[in-house]
Amino acid sequence: AQKITQTQPGMFVQEKEAVTLDCTYDTSDQSYGLFWYKQPSSGEMIFLIYQGSYDEQNATEGRYSLNFQKARKSANLVISASQLGDSAMYFCAMRPSGYSTLTFGKGTMLLVSP
Amino acid sequence: KAGVTQTPRYLIKTRGQQVTLSCSPISGHRSVSWYQQTPGQGLQFLFEYFSETQRNKGNFPGRFSGRQFSNSRSEMNVSTLELGDSALYLCASSGGLAGASSTDTQYFGPGTRLTVL
């Protein structure tokens, strides 16, 4: 079984600052994928970034980067230069290779202030 | 390329009724997964369909069922609705590569918000 832990229920950041959202995971699988999704108040889950367990480099997608520390089983999301539109719930999720099911954390609510 | 679409967006039902939700995946995607999101339980996996066959199933009662058509569109049905079924139901599609590689990203629709009175 997989488990995702997001310990920060809410985070506040000022516009243009960087913010790190924490995610730790627990799995006995050797091959797996880690994902971050953003959910605005409208409800739609928006895919942000993916990291494979065998990827040696940390994933980056524009202002998003994933700080992957395999030994510590952590996959923190870093958002650089926060924007007001970044205010949303952020979910960390994982899936082992061979399965389609995503296991999600409880989420972190990010509020960006002007 | 059009994204995942879900209909209806909002639904109000009463206890004991049944409901059918629809999901149209991204063109070319063969896998459709359904998730239930509630404030108390968070996001929980319901089931996944691939090429018209249920490939995986979450821990939900038999009142929750689904199916997938030959064009990959999927429907989810909940019978004998209970108050606790009030939730946001999210559908996600992916290529569904053989073996469901960990790189097979799921893309979500806008969800159907079901309220049971």
Side-chain angles (χ1 to χ4, degrees), chain B residues 11 14 17 19 23 26 29-30 43-44 46 54 63 71 75 79-80 86 90 93 100 110 116-117:
Chain B
L11 210 46
T14 56
Q17 287 187 311
V19 67
C23 171
I26 291 171
H29 282 186
R30 296 167 64 189
L43 280 146
Q44 293 184 287
L46 281 156
Q54 188 179 84
R63 299 185 297 106
N71 61 358
E75 287 183 348
S79 62
T80 319
S86 294
L90 291 161
S93 81
V116 182
L117 303 176

Side-chain angles (χ1 to χ4, degrees), chain B residues 55-101:
Chain B
R55 187 158 69 173
N56 287 294
K57 187 178 189 304
N59 189 24
F60 277 81
R63 299 185 297 106
F64 292 82
S65 63
R67 59 178 175 167
Q68 187 180 35
F69 302 94
S70 58
N71 61 358
S72 293
R73 189 178 71 86
S74 177
E75 287 183 348
M76 188 192 100
N77 185 274
V78 188
S79 62
T80 319
L81 284 166
E82 300 177 359
L83 294 179
D85 297 334
S86 294
L88 179 66
Y89 290 89
L90 291 161
C91 161
S93 81
S94 68
L97 302 173
S101 159

Side-chain angles (χ1 to χ4, degrees), chain B residues 21-43:
Chain B
L21 313 182
S22 180
C23 171
S24 292
I26 291 171
S27 177
H29 282 186
R30 296 167 64 189
S31 169
V32 173
S33 296
W34 289 88
Y35 295 84
Q36 182 197 64
Q37 185 177 24
T38 59
Q41 299 298 318
L43 280 146

